[in-house]
């Protein structure tokens, strides 16, 4: 159903909102959503879709908003062992990489 | 993502054309790779395109290892291939009560659904709002729908003159799932008839019958849950 998310992103953009897309590009272990899972985020923090079971969406929205500001894509890594870099982690013990890009 | 790329990607999805979105994770540049064309962003060598198209066919999104891409030694793989294939299809033969619930559940699960039933009183827009309906005879209908390996077929009419022709086509197609409603006794008779029609034992063994996972389903909605669960299990190699 990732097409619905892309359509939502295009709709939001068409309404003049700033929008970013977050996509799971790699997973290790028992990550909750497979590679290719997509989430659209708008400037107000509205979300469509998901990149995990809800564990990291908050942090991804935060980074997505930075990406909307500076148009710089970001590659984020999340994992339980990665506490130095991220305060959020995956309770399931998996690890994911999420690519965040602005919709121009 | 550039607006142009997003719009072309959405159009490919609407037109049901397979396309891979390739992203260079370090520069953010993107290309769309179709089976017969490439659009956008950055140069990809022929052997990259071959690998990307193979992954598109396998519906396999992920980072690709291209050791000859600049920076690979330091950064590792940095090209992400996102396969966008048309949705999986579910063809339901028999516009019966179970079908009304199954089509809604399949839609939620991301399947493109078609209902086949020559009986217009059953296969009506009022009973199946927004669902693609085909009123021709099931064998003709299934031939015209061109069943591929991303298609599941479920027969629900209980009526040999409708289910059997559908199964004759479905069992000789690359469908990833074929299921047929009916008790063990009904199914035994069905196998006899289809055998007489010339289907081989291997072909007949492909039928999931009685249809659906055994979850003790009784109501039409519960039976629909058991069927969609079995279709998903077949697709994910979990049967």
């Amino acid at each position: 159903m990732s097409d619905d998310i892309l359509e939502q992103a295009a709709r939001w953009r068409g309404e003049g909102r700033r929008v970013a897309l977050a996509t799971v590009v790699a997973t290790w272990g028992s990550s909750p959503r497979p590679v290719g899972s997509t989430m659209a985020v708008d400037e107000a923090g509205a979300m469509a879709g998901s990149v995990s079971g809800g564990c990291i969406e908050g942090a991804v929205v935060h980074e997505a908003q930075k990406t909307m500001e500076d148009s710089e894509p970001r590659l984020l890594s999340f994992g339980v062992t990665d506490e130095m870099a991220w305060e959020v982690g995956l309770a399931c013990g998996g690890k994911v990489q999420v690519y965040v890009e602005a919709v121009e | 993502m550039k607006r142009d790329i997003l719009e072309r990607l959405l159009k490919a999805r609407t037109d049901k054309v397979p396309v891979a979105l390739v992203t260079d994770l370090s520069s953010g540049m993107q290309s769309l790779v179709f089976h017969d064309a490439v659009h956008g962003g950055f140069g990809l060598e022929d052997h990259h395109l071959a690998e990307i198209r193979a992954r598109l066919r396998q519906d396999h999104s992920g980072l690709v290892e291209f050791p000859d891409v600049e920076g690979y030694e330091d950064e590792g793989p940095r090209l992400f291939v996102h396969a966008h294939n048309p949705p999986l299809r579910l063809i339901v033969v028999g516009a019966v009560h179970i079908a009304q619930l199954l089509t809604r559940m399949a839609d939620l699960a991301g399947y493109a659904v078609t209902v086949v039933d020559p009986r217009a009183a059953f296969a009506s827009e009022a009973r199946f709002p927004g669902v693609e309906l085909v009123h021709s005879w099931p064998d003709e209908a299934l031939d015209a729908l061109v069943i591929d390996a991303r298609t599941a077929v479920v027969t629900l009419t209980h009526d040999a003159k409708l289910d059997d022709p559908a199964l004759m086509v479905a069992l000789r197609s690359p469908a990833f799932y074929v299921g047929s409603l009916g008790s063990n006794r009904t199914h035994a008779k069905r196998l006899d008839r289809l055998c007489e029609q010339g289907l081989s034992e291997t072909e007949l063994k492909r039928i999931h019958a009685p249809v659906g996972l055994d979850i003790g389903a009784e109501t039409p909605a519960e039976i629909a849950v058991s069927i969609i669960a079995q279709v998903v299990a077949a697709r994910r190699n979990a049967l």
Side-chain angles (χ1 to χ4, degrees):
Chain A
M1 309 248 285
S2 67
D3 49 340
D4 295 334
I5 293 147
L6 293 176
E7 276 165 24
Q8 181 72 67
R11 248 191 322 270
W12 281 343
R13 198 71 196 89
E15 290 166 7
R17 305 194 215 178
R18 282 191 287 187
V19 179
L21 285 172
T23 305
V24 176
V25 297
T27 67
W28 297 264
S30 56
S31 63
R33 295 292 322 273
V35 169
S37 300
T38 306
M39 178 169 79
V41 181
D42 81 351
E43 59 199 32
M47 299 179 276
S50 64
V51 289
S52 79
C55 324
I56 60 170
E57 271 76 359
V60 171
V61 166
H62 187 68
E63 293 298 311
Q65 286 169 325
K66 286 195 216 162
T67 289
M68 289 175 221
E69 292 284 331
D70 62 14
S71 295
E72 288 295 322
R74 287 167 165 75
L75 187 59
L76 314 174
S77 296
F78 296 93
V80 276
T81 55
D82 212 356
E83 282 163 34
M84 297 295 279
W86 295 98
E87 71 274 29
V88 256
L90 292 164
C92 53
K95 189 176 166 228
V96 297
Q97 258 188 348
V98 178
Y99 180 71
V100 180
E101 62 189 316
V103 178
E104 288 174 17
Chain B
M1 182 182 290
K2 297 205 185 306
R3 249 343 247 293
D4 171 50
I5 294 270
L6 178 59
E7 270 157 24
R8 281 171 192 264
L9 181 54
L10 287 171
K11 181 168 182 340
R13 300 204 60 125
T14 308
D15 296 345
K16 298 193 161 50
V17 175
V19 60
L21 172 66
V22 184
T23 304
D24 181 333
L25 297 181
S26 51
S27 71
M29 298 239 277
Q30 290 176 316
S31 291
L32 290 172
V33 176
F34 297 85
H35 281 304
D36 56 357
V38 179
H39 172 80
F42 56 94
L44 290 161
E45 309 280 340
D46 281 349
H47 69 279
H48 297 154
L49 292 174
E51 167 70 14
I52 290 162
R53 287 176 174 138
R55 296 186 62 130
L56 179 57
R57 267 191 298 278
Q58 295 154 9
D59 204 24
H60 183 198
S61 297
L63 297 168
V64 272
E65 307 268 346
F66 289 138
D68 60 334
V69 169
E70 200 187 319
Y72 179 87
E73 274 181 33
D74 304 324
E75 301 172 50
R78 58 186 176 86
L79 288 189
F80 175 64
V81 174
H82 197 168
H84 290 268
N85 276 298
L88 298 164
R89 290 193 302 165
L90 174 66
I91 301 173
V92 180
V93 178
V96 297
H97 190 181
I98 295 170
Q100 289 178 282
L101 298 146
L102 178 59
T103 51
R104 287 161 65 189
M105 293 177 191
D107 177 59
L108 286 174
Y111 286 75
V113 183
T114 306
V115 172
V116 175
D117 201 320
R119 303 167 299 180
F122 282 87
S124 69
E125 166 70 19
R127 283 165 55 80
F128 292 90
V131 177
E132 181 184 37
L133 302 172
V134 178
H135 291 121
S136 45
W137 211 257
D139 48 354
E140 279 173 36
L142 266 54
D143 273 332
L145 288 166
V146 190
I147 299 169
D148 60 15
R150 294 173 55 81
T151 306
V153 180
V154 178
T155 71
L156 298 177
T157 72
H158 247 159
D159 182 339
K161 70 177 185 296
L162 292 169
D163 281 354
D164 287 6
L167 290 168
M168 290 297 293
V169 177
L171 294 173
R172 287 177 167 163
S173 77
F176 72 87
Y177 175 91
V178 180
S180 194
L181 186 74
S183 65
N184 279 318
R185 210 165 63 103
T186 308
H187 188 58
K189 288 190 206 156
R190 175 187 293 136
L191 291 178
D192 289 343
R193 287 194 310 273
L194 292 174
C195 185
E196 274 174 33
Q197 296 279 315
L199 285 182
S200 71
E201 202 169 320
T202 318
E203 286 166 336
L204 292 174
K205 274 198 180 138
R206 294 181 60 199
I207 310 177
H208 290 278
V211 73
L213 295 183
D214 185 4
I215 56 170
E218 288 192 6
T219 66
E222 290 172 357
I223 294 165
V225 168
S226 78
I227 296 171
I228 193 67
Q230 194 171 45
V231 170
V232 170
R235 170 67 186 158
R236 300 298 179 196
N237 296 316
L239 281 181

